[in-house]
Amino acid sequence: MINMYKIVELNEFEILEIIDKAVAFGVNSLKGEKNAMALQIAAFWLEGYIYGNEPRLTDDDIKSLRETMKNYFFI
């Protein structure tokens, strides 16, 4: 079977953009609250993103996305 997806490693800005989208989803889900629950929802969103885009993501991309999400915090 031929892989139809082009695998291109994400750069730092793309990683941060994806994490920002995940966090925005988490915060919007809680009507603007920025707390640990919002980050947990963001982490679930991110896992869905990874699952849906896995053919295009490298192992390093997946690791970077998860580590960045894990280290995210609100100021």
Side-chain angles (χ1 to χ4, degrees):
M1 186 157 139
I2 298 172
N3 186 352
M4 299 179 351
Y5 299 105
K6 183 177 181 183
I7 298 175
V8 177
E9 193 162 335
L10 298 174
N11 65 42
E12 178 182 341
F13 298 108
E14 292 168 321
I15 296 282
L16 294 175
E17 183 180 354
I18 293 165
I19 297 301
D20 285 343
K21 287 179 183 180
V23 171
F25 179 82
V27 170
N28 288 337
S29 296
L30 295 177
K31 297 178 176 43
E33 290 189 40
K34 294 180 179 179
N35 56 29
M37 181 61 79
L39 294 181
Q40 186 62 49
I41 293 169
F44 289 137
W45 182 97
L46 181 63
E47 288 304 315
Y49 177 88
I50 290 170
Y51 180 78
N53 290 283
E54 199 165 11
R56 293 178 223 154
L57 299 173
T58 66
D59 289 339
D60 286 341
D61 289 338
I62 294 169
K63 182 178 178 182
S64 292
L65 286 166
R66 286 179 175 151
E67 286 298 314
T68 303
M69 185 71 247
K70 183 174 146 185
N71 292 315
Y72 193 96
F73 61 92
F74 294 112
I75 298 175

